Amino acid sequence: MKKTQRTAGTDASWKNPVPGQVRVYVWEWPVRFSHWVMVITIISLSITGYYMHAPYVVARGRTAYVMGTMRFIHLVSGFAFMAAILIRMYWFLFANRWSRWNQYIPTTRKRLANLVAVGKYYAFMAWSPVRYIGHNPMAGAAYAVVYAMALVEILTGLVLFSQIVGSRVLLFLVGWIPRFIDIQWIREIHFFIMFGFWMFFIHHIYTAILVSVEEENGLMDSIFSGYKFVPKAELLRDPAVEEMRPDGEAAPVTSDLEQEKHTVA
Amino acid sequence: MNALPEIELRSALEARGISRRQFVKFCSTMVATLALPPRYLHAVVKALDQTTRPVLVWLEFQDCAGNSESMLRSGYPSVGDFVLELLSWEYHELIMAGAGKRAEETLERVMRDHKGEYIAVIEGSIPMAEDGVHCTIGGKTALDIATRVCSNAAINIAVGACAWDGGIVRASPNPTGAVGLAEAVPGIKNLVNLGGCPHNPANTAAVLVHYLTFHDLPALDQYHRPLFAYGDIIHDQCERRAHYDAGRYVEEWGDEGHRKGWCLYKMGCKGPEATYNCPTVRWNEGTSWPVKAGHGCIACASPRFWDTKSPFYDRLPKVPGFGVDVLAEEIGWGGTAAVGIAMLAQVAGNIVRDKTRAKNVRAEENPPPDLNAGGSA
Ligand code: SF4
Ligand code: SF4
């Protein structure tokens, strides 16, 4: 494992890029905020949700309130999760080019081709990864699936919640769903997708480590600070921009406004 | 037009040995079951006193007669006793004296003389496959009879799961193509569904009392079920609920928790997904109900419960396509483990790739990162 580049040079620190490198503000605050809310709530939702499926804690004492507490945490986490997803959904429309909706759903031929290239890398059919400042097409597509799962989870969760609160508004919105899918299957789907999140969780941590090792761009730090360190040439020919131009014309990829946000060494 | 001699309700009840006091008690039970404020008791007593005993016909199709049994075999004086006296039961195969042609004539007479006035109670599902030949009475199919009787009735009451949505007869694979009354006779008017396996006679009596008092049906839900009976979740009315919230569960039949009356959630109790007033109205004149007696609820009053709520002793349905005994849980854990193993394999593969890359890729193919812009693998 090689050392990451930004620690090279004498005055380099995590805020100061080395010569030839640009400090790029990739993940804006709504992205990071919703990311961490999702991380925390998925963990607490899984722990409490699994308990609600198969109570694994032995309750002790006369005043025990284990299931009640688990349900409470589950509901609170559920609403926090929902809020995070909604914030992120909103931001899909207004984010910078690395976290816009088109980074998740490949819409151009070029991005699809790169999706295949990334797949080849994971299948050990290529020596080096395709370098991206934001998400590579494969990662983006994977997140799209995760957001789809999250939406199904929210919807099924609301159906189950509507059954216990009996709120007219909620029943109006989702009360018709159990007429078509029985409530037991709603539960099954809600439970099953939890494992989908677990699978993604393992994969996500693995790829995050892998890519930050392979690309040496401070990927791990970026989800805390928002900044990545990339070679200047990479920022000037960003695949995220190239892929969105079907004519393939090499266009300037940074606006003046954007330039101000990035620290160039 | 009523060919029968008018029998006064009070003397009819007295003839059965039911006192005035018991009658008023019955009325107050009905008021409570209907979730009406107590001040309605007077109205109910008055209305029932003055009732002209409307005609009732009870049809049985593909069924086990369990709903009739439930109506007739309760304590004394039972709900059934009152209902038998409140209404003039002209046709009910299980209890009527006449048989064969005589019986069929009675039904025809009711339809002729009391058109649009009689109450029709339907028990059992209606087969639709092969033109309905799977259930015929006196040479007529259940579908024919139901269509004729129900379209001329003042109100139609489908009692039990089978009459409501097909019940066990309709459970997969449903060889007779059975359906409930509403599906068999589309556009049926004034329908009340009283699901449950069997129906709770207290609810059926309450619907009848409501009709006799207010000449109208009680408030219904999207499935035409009265809200007073099907509006609340079993789980929210269950006496074991405190154990559920505390986290004390029966783990095995007959274990310590079972003897102590803990929650049956882990034994597959479907109380959390079932709606019914079973825990409050109870059975056998309010003696007990299944969960109180120690068995989990199987959601008998929920739509298509034989298919949707089974397995009755597990929390969640079996996943189709994975054999009979595989739970969603096992698939989930298996998948998660598979992903974990795949990631470990990736780690190993990447270490090998990193070690061998320098040897295999010539310098110009593996340029330093800043020249590698644009992405090529
Ligand atoms: S026994 Fe069933 S209905 Fe009663 S609290 Fe437990 S899960 Fe709910
Ligand atoms: S406990 Fe549940 S399954 Fe049993 S009779 Fe009551 S509602 Fe039906």
Side-chain angles (χ1 to χ4, degrees):
Chain A
M1 202 188 288
K2 289 161 280 181
K3 281 202 181 114
T4 46
Q5 287 198 334
R6 64 206 156 82
T7 56
T10 45
D11 56 350
S13 77
W14 77 276
K15 284 206 163 166
N16 298 320
V18 295
Q21 251 188 356
V22 202
R23 187 165 165 263
V24 187
Y25 188 49
V26 184
W27 311 127
E28 294 142 305
W29 74 264
V31 178
R32 284 173 287 144
F33 175 75
S34 58
H35 174 268
W36 288 112
V37 174
M38 284 182 231
V39 172
I40 294 162
T41 52
I42 287 176
I43 292 172
S44 68
L45 285 166
S46 296
I47 293 172
T48 54
Y50 196 85
Y51 176 85
M52 284 153 70
H53 167 74
Y56 48 80
V57 177
V58 180
R60 290 188 199 287
R62 295 190 144 274
T63 54
Y65 195 61
V66 184
M67 180 60 95
T69 312
M70 292 282 186
R71 271 165 63 117
F72 177 74
I73 298 172
H74 195 81
L75 289 176
V76 172
S77 309
F79 280 101
F81 179 73
M82 202 158 76
I85 293 285
L86 285 177
I87 290 173
R88 191 63 189 85
M89 289 281 171
Y90 169 80
W91 202 243
F92 273 144
L93 304 174
F94 304 103
N96 65 19
R97 65 166 176 267
W98 296 292
S99 22
R100 239 168 222 274
W101 66 272
N102 59 19
Q103 296 299 292
Y104 300 86
I105 300 158
T107 48
T108 61
R109 205 175 284 270
K110 194 144 190 205
R111 194 157 170 93
L112 272 173
N114 280 340
L115 195 148
V116 175
V118 176
K120 280 191 175 158
Y121 173 72
Y122 278 112
F124 297 105
M125 288 158 72
W127 287 105
S128 307
V130 193
R131 297 184 61 89
Y132 277 85
I133 299 171
H135 301 307
N136 72 51
M138 176 85 100
Y143 300 145
V145 173
V146 171
Y147 282 112
M149 294 201 306
L151 288 181
V152 177
E153 204 70 334
I154 287 171
L155 201 63
T156 51
L158 283 178
V159 173
L160 294 171
F161 184 58
S162 74
Q163 301 269 313
I164 60 168
V165 293
S167 131
R168 272 166 192 270
V169 180
L170 207 52
L171 281 171
F172 175 77
L173 292 175
V174 296
W176 51 274
I177 294 175
R179 281 199 87 157
F180 301 100
I181 307 169
D182 188 79
I183 198 76
Q184 279 295 86
W185 285 101
I186 302 264
R187 266 200 177 76
E188 182 102 313
I189 294 165
H190 195 74
F191 177 63
F192 209 72
I193 287 180
M194 172 185 71
F195 290 102
F197 278 114
W198 292 5
M199 292 176 205
F200 169 74
F201 202 91
I202 297 172
H203 175 263
H204 185 61
I205 290 176
Y206 160 73
T207 44
I209 296 172
L210 171 77
V211 172
S212 65
V213 168
E214 289 290 331
E215 298 192 353
E216 302 169 339
N217 55 9
L219 174 109
M220 276 302 202
D221 293 359
S222 72
I223 195 57
F224 295 95
S225 66
Y227 286 94
K228 272 193 182 181
F229 291 76
V230 293
K232 196 170 176 192
E234 212 171 293
L235 180 63
L236 293 176
R237 288 200 67 218
D238 182 0
V241 173
E242 282 191 336
E243 282 165 356
M244 291 307 130
R245 289 171 194 274
D247 45 19
E249 207 179 292
V253 296
T254 51
S255 64
D256 291 346
L257 188 79
E258 213 171 34
Q259 275 296 359
E260 279 170 27
K261 283 205 225 148
H262 311 313
T263 325
V264 183
Chain B
M1 59 177 161
N2 195 340
L4 292 163
E6 278 290 349
I7 310 165
E8 204 206 330
L9 177 69
R10 194 175 293 197
S11 49
L13 288 176
E14 266 161 25
R16 276 189 171 249
I18 297 167
S19 67
R20 185 71 184 162
R21 189 185 167 80
Q22 283 169 319
F23 173 68
V24 175
K25 199 174 155 210
F26 165 76
C27 290
S28 58
T29 313
M30 289 297 108
V31 169
T33 306
L34 285 165
L36 291 173
R39 66 190 146 84
Y40 278 91
L41 176 61
H42 181 65
V44 170
V45 172
K46 207 169 137 205
L48 296 194
D49 261 342
Q50 289 167 357
T51 177
T52 49
R53 306 182 79 228
V55 173
L56 180 144
V57 293
W58 183 298
L59 304 177
E60 276 186 68
F61 299 127
Q62 284 185 312
D63 73 328
C64 66
N67 294 292
S68 296
E69 291 289 341
S70 182
M71 196 80 189
L72 300 172
R73 288 184 199 273
S74 31
Y76 176 84
S78 69
V79 164
D81 286 321
F82 291 104
V83 176
L84 282 174
E85 296 311 326
L86 284 172
L87 302 151
S88 168
W89 291 46
E90 298 291 296
Y91 184 91
H92 187 171
E93 279 143 16
L94 203 66
I95 56 170
M96 67 198 295
K101 210 157 169 50
R102 198 42 83 68
E104 298 314 306
E105 272 167 15
T106 313
L107 189 59
E108 291 299 327
R109 179 176 53 74
V110 169
M111 277 196 278
R112 196 177 55 238
D113 295 351
H114 299 275
K115 196 169 187 311
E117 289 170 5
Y118 61 90
I119 296 166
V121 180
I122 286 78
E123 173 181 5
S125 67
I126 297 169
M128 304 292 270
E130 274 100 19
D131 292 329
V133 294
H134 297 281
C135 176
T136 58
I137 299 158
K140 282 178 246 137
T141 64
L143 182 59
D144 281 348
I145 301 172
T147 312
R148 279 193 64 214
V149 172
C150 294
S151 35
N152 290 319
I155 58 167
N156 295 291
I157 305 177
V159 291
C162 299
W164 169 29
D165 68 355
I168 192 170
V169 193
R170 196 200 193 161
S172 173
N174 188 10
T176 65
V179 294
L181 179 61
E183 264 176 86
V185 187
I188 185 169
K189 281 197 282 297
N190 293 342
L191 171 71
V192 185
N193 283 320
L194 290 165
C197 197
H199 74 138
N200 194 321
N203 292 331
T204 309
V207 170
L208 291 169
V209 165
H210 191 282
Y211 179 69
L212 294 178
T213 308
F214 305 106
H215 306 290
D216 199 5
L217 297 177
L220 303 176
D221 72 0
Q222 53 182 348
Y223 298 106
H224 292 276
R225 306 180 302 179
L227 280 169
F228 73 81
Y230 300 86
D232 287 314
I233 291 172
I234 299 260
H235 190 55
D236 291 346
Q237 316 164 61
C238 176
E239 58 256 6
R240 295 179 189 240
R241 178 60 185 265
H243 291 301
Y244 169 88
D245 286 335
R248 286 185 285 265
Y249 302 98
V250 176
E251 305 276 345
E252 217 178 293
W253 299 116
D255 70 357
E256 194 203 348
H258 198 211
R259 276 178 274 130
K260 285 185 174 167
W262 290 359
C263 169
L264 296 157
Y265 186 74
K266 279 183 148 179
M267 306 308 290
C269 177
K270 300 292 182 297
E273 36 270 340
T275 60
Y276 207 8
N277 57 357
C278 189
T280 50
V281 169
R282 302 187 175 179
W283 299 86
N284 299 327
E285 309 302 306
T287 309
S288 184
W289 66 293
V291 170
K292 189 182 179 197
H295 189 282
C297 171
I298 58 172
C300 73
S302 297
R304 310 282 311 273
F305 81 102
W306 290 99
D307 288 337
T308 56
K309 298 301 183 292
S310 62
F312 294 148
Y313 299 97
D314 272 319
R315 281 299 312 139
L316 292 174
K318 299 266 191 276
V319 187
F322 279 89
V324 278
D325 264 338
V326 181
L327 299 172
E329 190 173 346
E330 288 155 359
I331 299 168
W333 279 111
T336 310
V339 171
I341 291 164
M343 292 306 111
L344 288 178
Q346 275 272 333
V347 171
N350 272 312
I351 291 171
V352 174
R353 175 158 56 187
D354 271 0
K355 290 249 183 311
T356 48
R357 180 187 288 134
K359 272 188 257 128
N360 287 285
V361 182
R362 278 168 287 130
E364 58 270 27
E365 276 179 41
N366 190 20
D370 52 337
L371 299 177
N372 194 15
S376 63

